Amino acid sequence: MKRSTKVIQFIEDQCRIPEGRDVGKPVKLRAWQKAEIRKIYDNPAVTRRAIVTFGRKNGKTALAAFLLLAHTAGPEARPNSQLYSAAQSREQAGILFNLAAKIVRMSPALSEYVIVKDSAKSLVCPELGTTYRALSADASTAYGLSPVFAVHDELGQVRGPKSELYAAIETAAAAHARPLSIIISTQAPTDGDLLSLLIDDAKTGADPQVTLSMYAADDDDDPWSEETIKKANPAFGDFQNADEVRATAQTAKRLPSSEASYRNLILNQRVEARNPFVSRKVWDNNGGAPVMSGRVYGGLDLSSVHDLTALVLVSESYGVLPTFWLPESGIVEKSQKDRVPYDVWAKAGELQLVPGKSIEYEWVAYRLREVFDDYDIEAIAFDRWGMRHLKPWLIKAGFTEQELERFVEFGQGFKDMSPALRSLESLLLNEKLSHGMQPVLRMCAANAVAQQDPAGNRKLAKDKSSGRIDGMVALAMAVGVQAMREEEQTLDLSWLDDPIMVNY
């Protein structure tokens, strides 16, 4: 028999439903569950990593527990092997262990061969020498282990591109000839999170040993229709409570603050559980290659000497060219702290590293000199607080008085930022920008949240955003100063040539 046939037969013959309305009954796998098992175990390339992602409450943890037991005391068991499940918290780690323990205790066959150790959150099959243990990220790391099988439960909860626990388990598994890791999770909210990176890599099909199954609503789908809900929830109307899902959808429809969470957890879309200034879809729709000809406008967000400094240029045709600087010293630590791959972006040339521990104004001034030499700069908008420190270095870098006049003070409050955001929003919605999908700017766009005052004016709020937004602040200033200058240039001043008005 095929591997998948043996696994399916083991689950349906030996396992019991651990909880719910059919608790204690023999498992009857659904067609979609069998299809996932066949995809994992019958892969001609031999699956090394399987990613299965769908909405909440579709029995993904129970399915993981069934597969775990197939490797503990079933047809996939290897003598004297180590098995692990990994989760981000002790509570989450306990869920998978508890389900597996319940299945063992309810099964006459499994309970005879598998010992449950509740205090250690482990299962042991003495006859085969197999051992399973649940691990969590808030406990000690998994270095020194040697897993032949691992389940990464709810990996979408990892924020940022790295997880020490995930890396430890995956590197340790390399000691075996045919290790298998299974990731069963709802999608992560942002593109820069670990699970998103793994999914995007799997989509390329570059590694035939990686399988991917995604049950998710498309961005263009009606988020409130049952047809859309079923795309992300294969158990909808079966062992997933359809009435509760419908109620959740109606709540999210009434309360905009709940929509992002609904899209992420129920529709399994890659959406931050908050309302960003620009959606990922709208941003990506403006991802064409930029053309930087004609007059060019810029926005300069100096930030502090230790943080991300951003210069974003916008051309007449709305091409967007961003430049980002960070201190070279401590770049790896900063990548870990902010949970974004600054070090990787730097190697790819998307981020410029400044020697030392801080970004000196002299460095910025000479880089701006190069920008003025390369482009027809009409205006550079800047936050006025840092200009008094930058101006002496601009003069030293060779800026003339005429060039210095092209630096325009731009406030960061509601008064100046609100019209700038309106202009930027209009360009984005009408797909007029071309930002080339620059990854650092894309991160800033995903993080940006707009704060609104009682009068309806808006500004980008760094304290309400989930990460760095310096690039979006600079882009808003560039678009804002461009709109201001273009409005000034299109004013109708022909009345000055009217003899009657001149005589008057």
Side-chain angles (χ1 to χ4, degrees):
M1 289 189 294
K2 292 183 178 180
R3 291 177 67 194
S4 65
T5 304
K6 294 178 182 180
V7 171
I8 291 170
Q9 183 174 310
F10 166 81
I11 293 173
E12 294 192 330
D13 289 350
Q14 307 299 335
C15 296
R16 298 292 182 267
I17 298 174
E19 56 188 25
R21 64 187 181 189
D22 295 323
V23 62
K25 294 181 180 179
V27 175
K28 182 63 177 176
L29 292 170
R30 276 39 174 185
W32 65 270
Q33 292 174 318
K34 292 180 180 179
E36 294 307 326
I37 293 174
R38 294 188 186 101
K39 191 172 187 178
I40 295 170
Y41 292 98
D42 295 344
N43 180 7
V46 184
T47 303
R48 167 65 183 87
R49 180 186 304 118
I51 304 173
V52 184
T53 175
F54 39 69
R56 293 284 178 89
K57 302 300 181 183
N58 282 274
K60 56 179 169 288
T61 306
L63 179 59
F66 296 146
L67 298 181
L68 171 65
L69 291 171
H71 286 260
T72 303
E76 289 294 316
R78 299 188 201 176
N80 304 317
S81 59
Q82 298 178 15
L83 321 170
Y84 295 96
S85 65
Q88 294 308 296
S89 66
R90 292 179 182 274
E91 182 180 1
Q92 184 66 37
I95 293 175
L96 178 54
F97 164 75
N98 289 333
L99 284 178
K102 289 177 181 178
I103 295 168
V104 168
R105 289 177 170 129
M106 291 178 182
S107 168
L110 290 177
S111 59
E112 184 177 348
Y113 295 100
V114 179
I115 299 172
V116 178
K117 297 184 177 181
D118 293 291
S119 59
K121 286 187 172 61
S122 69
L123 304 176
V124 178
C125 180
E127 185 168 319
L128 293 173
T130 54
T131 302
Y132 154 72
R133 185 155 65 94
L135 303 174
S136 63
D138 51 12
S140 58
T141 63
Y143 292 107
L145 304 180
S146 183
V148 70
F149 176 83
V151 175
H152 297 280
D153 191 22
E154 291 295 358
L155 194 66
Q157 294 179 359
V158 173
R159 296 295 176 264
K162 298 177 182 178
S163 163
E164 187 176 2
L165 179 59
Y166 175 83
I169 290 177
E170 292 301 294
T171 53
H176 296 278
R178 293 194 308 170
L180 174 61
S181 295
I182 296 180
I183 299 169
I184 300 187
S185 176
T186 304
Q187 282 210 79
T190 72
D191 293 333
D193 295 327
L194 174 59
L195 179 56
S196 299
L197 297 176
L198 294 174
I199 288 174
D200 291 344
D201 179 67
K203 285 180 178 179
T204 66
D207 188 347
Q209 289 190 300
V210 176
T211 65
L212 171 65
S213 293
M214 285 192 64
Y215 298 80
D218 295 326
D219 292 337
D220 295 332
D221 290 338
D222 176 6
W224 320 116
S225 73
E226 285 198 6
E227 182 180 355
T228 300
I229 293 172
K230 289 177 181 178
K231 279 188 174 183
N233 298 273
F236 180 79
D238 185 3
F239 53 81
Q240 183 192 57
N241 191 320
D243 290 335
E244 285 198 12
V245 176
R246 293 188 189 100
T248 301
Q250 291 303 312
T251 299
K253 191 174 183 178
R254 294 192 308 270
L255 301 175
S257 60
S258 301
E259 181 177 343
S261 177
Y262 165 77
R263 285 181 176 273
N264 180 228
L265 301 180
I266 302 299
L267 299 186
N268 197 29
Q269 293 177 320
R270 197 177 295 180
V271 177
E272 183 76 63
R274 56 181 178 79
N275 292 311
F277 168 70
V278 55
S279 70
R280 181 171 58 90
K281 179 186 175 185
V282 171
W283 183 259
D284 290 353
N285 287 344
N286 289 265
V291 177
M292 301 304 295
S293 59
R295 289 174 295 184
V296 175
Y297 305 81
L300 177 63
D301 186 6
L302 291 169
S303 299
S304 71
V305 294
H306 303 291
D307 291 329
L308 193 66
T309 291
L311 171 67
V312 178
L313 303 179
V314 178
S315 68
E316 283 183 328
S317 57
Y318 303 115
V320 178
L321 182 64
T323 303
F324 296 93
W325 297 285
L326 266 179
E328 185 175 25
S329 179
I331 188 65
V332 175
E333 293 75 12
K334 185 172 286 292
S335 298
Q336 294 172 346
K337 178 183 177 182
D338 289 358
R339 297 180 177 181
V340 290
Y342 293 132
D343 48 347
V344 176
W345 288 336
K347 291 179 182 178
E350 305 289 359
L351 173 67
Q352 296 185 22
L353 298 183
V354 179
K357 298 182 178 180
S358 64
I359 300 176
E360 302 296 338
Y361 288 112
E362 181 179 12
W363 176 277
V364 177
Y366 279 95
R367 299 292 81 75
L368 287 170
R369 179 68 269 169
E370 295 172 355
V371 168
F372 269 71
D373 292 340
D374 293 340
Y375 300 98
D376 180 12
I377 301 297
E378 180 73 16
I380 297 287
F382 64 93
D383 183 2
R384 60 177 64 93
W385 73 267
M387 194 59 182
R388 68 179 183 272
H389 303 293
L390 180 62
K391 187 174 181 180
W393 293 109
L394 292 175
I395 296 173
K396 184 177 179 181
F399 280 81
T400 65
E401 285 297 326
Q402 184 180 11
E403 288 175 326
L404 290 174
E405 290 176 358
R406 299 180 196 172
F407 286 84
V408 180
E409 290 188 357
F410 203 99
Q412 304 298 291
F414 292 110
K415 178 178 177 294
D416 289 335
M417 288 300 293
S418 189
L421 291 183
R422 282 199 299 271
S423 298
L424 176 56
E425 191 172 51
S426 176
L427 292 173
L428 287 167
L429 292 176
N430 289 288
E431 299 181 14
K432 291 185 176 181
L433 283 184
S434 300
H435 52 67
M437 301 297 285
Q438 207 277 352
V440 189
L441 184 59
R442 194 169 190 249
M443 172 201 70
C444 295
N447 292 335
V449 172
Q451 180 181 357
Q452 185 169 301
D453 70 3
N457 298 308
R458 294 177 298 168
K459 67 176 183 178
L460 296 180
K462 292 187 177 183
D463 60 333
K464 295 184 180 296
S465 302
S466 61
R468 305 290 180 186
I469 65 170
D470 310 80
M472 281 298 286
V473 172
L475 175 59
M477 288 194 291
V479 168
V481 75
Q482 181 181 23
M484 289 166 50
R485 288 298 174 91
E486 290 179 349
E487 184 177 352
E488 292 171 0
Q489 293 165 2
T490 56
L491 286 175
D492 183 9
L493 301 179
S494 60
W495 60 272
L496 290 174
D497 297 327
D498 189 331
I500 298 177
M501 295 303 296
V502 171
N503 291 336
Y504 180 77

